[in-house]
Amino acid sequence: MFKVNVMYPYTEGARFDHTYYRDRHMPMVKARLGNACAYYTIEKGLAGGAPGAPPAFVAMCAFICDSAEGYEAAIQEHRAEILGDITNYTDIVPVLQISEIVVERSDR
Amino acid sequence: MFKVNVMYPYTEGARFDHTYYRDRHMPMVKARLGNACAYYTIEKGLAGGAPGAPPAFVAMCAFICDSAEGYEAAIQEHRAEILGDITNYTDIVPVLQISEIVVERSDR
């Protein structure tokens, strides 16, 4: 299993609409990915490690997929629509990372 | 629900023993956290967003908890043992982030 992480670095004064991201953007991306994505996760950054420090990322999401190639093929087809929607919720350029899932959930 | 992310930045030439991390370190931390942690996840960074780019993080884990305070209290008690084990698998200083879980798993 693979995980495609999309991480939005915390930036002073930057804009991020968590409601739009949760209710509009992510469901739309999942609909376009179809079976290439098993499920997704979303989190909102609250704090960094040091007392009073901001989080490294204001928001992070992950697409959990059986195959990285399957994800790539599905996303390619809808890239323009997906990228075009980003300005509707943020002006932050996200960091992408593809990971191998080592432990999906420790109690399983 | 909250997520405590521990992210190890990719560093050229740095050491990271993924087997020790999966088989020894993370189960030990979970045992010390007890019920303060519902479950954890582990991933291994494969690639960044640009073609040929390394991942931002060589490894990432997350502790999923009902309460950030409960996690803090549990970790404080075992901080010396947990921090002392880090040199057994890496020389990278991790980035910590506390997040609020917005969507734990989209199909639920």
Side-chain angles (χ1 to χ4, degrees):
Chain A
M1 296 280 282
F2 295 87
K3 209 167 174 177
V4 179
N5 296 283
V6 186
M7 306 176 280
Y8 296 84
Y10 173 86
T11 314
E12 194 64 42
R15 176 172 64 87
F16 197 96
D17 183 339
H18 288 280
T19 305
Y20 186 97
Y21 190 59
R22 179 194 64 203
D23 295 347
R24 305 279 298 273
H25 181 75
M26 289 295 291
M28 179 274 281
V29 176
K30 174 68 179 85
R32 298 300 177 271
L33 288 174
N35 291 334
C37 170
Y39 63 93
Y40 64 81
T41 63
I42 303 178
E43 61 188 275
K44 175 182 181 175
L46 296 181
F57 301 103
V58 69
M60 298 166 80
C61 78
F63 298 98
I64 289 75
C65 309
D66 287 329
S67 128
E69 292 72 22
Y71 168 87
E72 277 303 327
I75 207 89
Q76 276 301 350
E77 206 181 322
H78 302 283
R79 191 175 294 274
E81 180 184 8
I82 293 169
L83 295 185
D85 191 45
I86 294 181
T87 55
N88 290 325
Y89 61 89
T90 193
D91 48 10
I92 301 172
V93 177
V95 172
L96 266 73
Q97 162 155 351
I98 298 172
S99 293
E100 177 191 332
I101 294 178
V102 175
V103 174
E104 186 180 5
R105 188 178 164 125
S106 61
D107 57 359
R108 286 182 181 176
Chain B
M1 296 280 282
F2 295 86
K3 208 166 174 178
V4 179
N5 295 284
V6 186
M7 305 176 279
Y8 295 83
Y10 174 85
T11 314
E12 193 65 41
R15 176 171 65 86
F16 197 96
D17 184 339
H18 288 279
T19 306
Y20 186 96
Y21 190 61
R22 179 193 65 204
D23 295 348
R24 305 279 299 275
H25 182 75
M26 289 295 290
M28 181 273 283
V29 176
K30 174 68 178 84
R32 298 300 178 272
L33 290 173
N35 291 333
C37 170
Y39 64 92
Y40 63 80
T41 63
I42 304 178
E43 62 188 273
K44 177 181 180 174
L46 294 181
F57 302 103
V58 68
M60 299 167 80
C61 78
F63 298 99
I64 288 77
C65 308
D66 287 329
S67 129
E69 292 72 21
Y71 169 87
E72 278 301 328
I75 208 91
Q76 277 301 348
E77 207 181 321
H78 302 284
R79 191 175 292 274
E81 180 184 6
I82 293 168
L83 295 184
D85 192 45
I86 294 181
T87 55
N88 290 325
Y89 61 88
T90 192
D91 47 10
I92 300 172
V93 176
V95 173
L96 265 72
Q97 163 156 349
I98 298 173
S99 294
E100 178 191 331
I101 294 178
V102 176
V103 174
E104 186 180 6
R105 188 178 163 123
S106 60
D107 55 0
R108 286 182 182 178

